[in-house]
Amino acid sequence: FAAAWWTVSAVTTACALGVDSYAFSCLSRVYALKDVSGEDEDTISFDPISGLLHEFNLLNAIVQTASGALERGLLAYVTSSAVVLVLWSTMMTHQLYTEAEFGNQQEMLVWGLVLLGLTAKLFIQVSQVNMKFMRLPTLVNGMDFGLEEDPRKAHVVNYIQTALVTRHCGFLIYNVFVTTSVVVKGFYYGAAFSAHLATQVVQYLPSEG
């Protein structure tokens, strides 16, 4: 599990760096345009917007390929941490009502919390990748490519916004665009479901005496 966690973490970090590199590429085009603005021939031959869509599509394809390959691993971490915490909650609830004693409660709690923390860390990294994607339209729209009204820049901005709205870009987990609010809601509802499931399971456990 440790090796799998480091692999998923490294891939999500690389995806975030890929989005940052695209933003840096946009900035470098603006500075390159300023450097050649004094030379007419170079200004005519240099097109700062050319290739922006191609680079975005390439970045998006890489990120979505990575998300498709890692979504099962993320699901395995969620399932493992949920199972351990549900078992611990069931044992504690059963002990509360029947005063029965179980061994290894502390160890199970520690492992459950560790798995939960590692899973939360991975999903936070995924949400950071998607948050970077969501900032790209504003970033590109704020760039000065030499023209006050450039229809090609507007086309790039609209293309990225449409891809975000239709969920055709970003780090998708089973077609879910993971953001920070999604992570918080997911763990909240997961904790509530685990507590409810533990109380239901306790009703079917045999009591002492």
Side-chain angles (χ1 to χ4, degrees):
F1 265 48
W5 187 89
W6 282 112
T7 301
V8 176
S9 178
V11 172
T12 53
T13 302
C15 291
L17 291 175
V19 182
D20 290 337
S21 67
Y22 179 79
F24 179 77
S25 175
C26 296
L27 289 172
S28 64
R29 291 169 182 266
V30 174
Y31 286 110
L33 179 63
K34 293 181 179 180
D35 291 338
V36 300
S37 60
E39 303 178 10
D40 295 336
E41 294 182 359
D42 291 338
T43 304
I44 295 175
S45 61
F46 179 70
D47 186 2
I49 303 181
S50 176
L52 281 182
L53 280 181
H54 173 71
E55 292 180 6
F56 174 78
N57 288 329
L58 181 61
L59 169 65
N60 186 38
I62 294 174
V63 172
Q64 290 201 335
T65 301
S67 65
L70 298 179
E71 59 187 6
R72 292 184 179 179
L74 290 169
L75 180 61
Y77 267 100
V78 172
T79 304
S80 300
S81 58
V83 168
V84 174
L85 289 177
V86 167
L87 288 176
W88 178 81
S89 300
T90 303
M91 292 167 57
M92 293 300 296
T93 306
H94 185 59
Q95 181 179 351
L96 179 64
Y97 285 102
T98 64
E99 297 183 355
E101 294 184 0
F102 297 92
N104 301 325
Q105 293 181 6
Q106 296 180 351
E107 291 82 357
M108 183 176 295
L109 175 61
V110 169
W111 280 111
L113 292 177
V114 169
L115 286 174
L116 185 63
L118 293 176
T119 304
K121 173 63 176 176
L122 292 179
F123 275 92
I124 289 174
Q125 291 182 217
V126 171
S127 67
Q128 289 175 349
V129 176
N130 290 332
M131 294 300 292
K132 291 177 183 291
F133 267 104
M134 294 175 65
R135 297 189 186 102
L136 287 180
T138 304
L139 176 67
V140 176
N141 190 47
M143 297 293 177
D144 183 9
F145 293 112
L147 297 176
E148 293 184 1
E149 296 183 1
D150 194 337
R152 294 183 305 163
K153 183 178 75 171
H155 175 67
V156 174
V157 174
N158 292 332
Y159 183 88
I160 299 176
Q161 287 179 337
T162 302
L164 288 169
V165 171
T166 57
R167 297 296 183 255
H168 285 95
C169 76
F171 205 104
L172 305 178
I173 305 299
Y174 291 100
N175 294 325
V176 176
F177 191 82
V178 180
T179 59
T180 305
S181 61
V182 172
V183 174
V184 173
K185 291 179 181 178
F187 279 94
Y188 174 78
Y189 289 117
F193 175 76
S194 299
H196 173 72
L197 183 61
T199 56
Q200 295 299 316
V201 172
V202 165
Q203 297 178 3
Y204 298 95
L205 293 178
S207 58
E208 293 185 351

